[in-house]
Amino acid sequence: MEKPRVVVVMGVAGSGKTTVGKLLASRNCGNFYDADDFHPPANIAKMASGMPLDDDDRAPWLARLREEVIDITPPGTLAVLACSALKKAYREQLGVGKMGVALVFLDGSAETLAARLEGRPGHFMKAGMLTSQLATLEKPDEDEGVTVSIDQPMEEVVGEIERLLGARSF
């Protein structure tokens, strides 16, 4: 397997993308990026009001992620990007499966995800929007990336990712 220079940690809200991404980057001397930090104010306002984003909202955001994170990460370094990347088309726009861009899908039950969102105060993603994200989600195929269950402690999630991607050699 080609050594990734970018690992996209994907999943719906509440799957642990940020927590897992930060830990993976820290344990492997990488840089962490949260895709939420790249949303324009209009997207954040829309989500905060309880409205899901559509493809038109996401297009410039995905382009910015590609330009400001993926395209600028040089070989021999590691960037970990926490990003919902719900549709295959979004992942293709990010370059998943090409140029050293690996994908990790954090998978969990709707019940687990909802419970996590309920316990997360102050975030613009509301628990009620989980239904919309789950309906939009196109789970990646095996050839697109690896899938890891979130029904285990975060340290174990990251350890499984490292094993699956052959990490510690990032």
Side-chain angles (χ1 to χ4, degrees):
M1 171 182 287
E2 176 186 1
K3 184 163 76 169
R5 62 181 179 80
V6 178
V7 176
V8 177
V9 179
M10 70 154 290
V12 298
S15 62
K17 297 179 297 290
T18 299
T19 302
V20 168
K22 285 180 177 178
L23 188 55
L24 182 65
S26 174
R27 285 176 39 163
N28 292 281
C29 301
N31 296 311
F32 173 76
Y33 300 91
D34 190 328
D36 287 345
D37 295 338
F38 293 80
H39 274 296
N43 283 10
I44 293 171
K46 188 172 183 179
M47 289 184 286
S49 72
M51 299 288 296
L53 300 179
D54 59 29
D55 287 351
D56 290 336
D57 298 320
R58 287 189 179 96
W61 171 66
L62 290 165
R64 184 175 177 203
L65 291 171
R66 178 72 183 253
E67 293 168 10
E68 296 183 25
V69 177
I70 293 169
D71 289 347
I72 66 164
T73 300
T77 62
L78 174 66
V80 178
L81 173 63
C83 180
S84 54
L86 298 175
K87 292 184 178 180
K88 184 175 182 84
Y90 304 162
R91 298 187 292 270
E92 288 173 350
Q93 188 170 352
L94 293 172
V96 167
K98 300 175 184 167
M99 307 174 309
V101 181
L103 181 75
V104 174
F105 171 50
L106 300 179
D107 196 15
S109 69
E111 295 79 19
T112 297
L113 295 162
R116 287 182 175 192
L117 287 175
E118 291 296 333
R120 193 167 81 173
H123 194 273
F124 58 78
M125 177 59 81
K126 305 301 181 203
M129 293 174 63
L130 177 60
T131 303
S132 170
Q133 283 205 338
L134 289 171
T136 301
L137 176 64
E138 296 172 2
K139 290 186 178 187
D141 298 326
E142 281 184 23
D143 64 335
E144 207 178 340
V146 298
T147 298
V148 177
S149 171
I150 62 169
D151 294 325
Q152 56 186 324
M154 289 298 163
E155 288 279 343
E156 291 179 26
V157 170
V158 173
E160 186 174 344
I161 292 167
E162 290 171 336
R163 282 188 299 280
L164 291 169
L165 294 182
R168 298 286 183 173
S169 65
F170 288 129

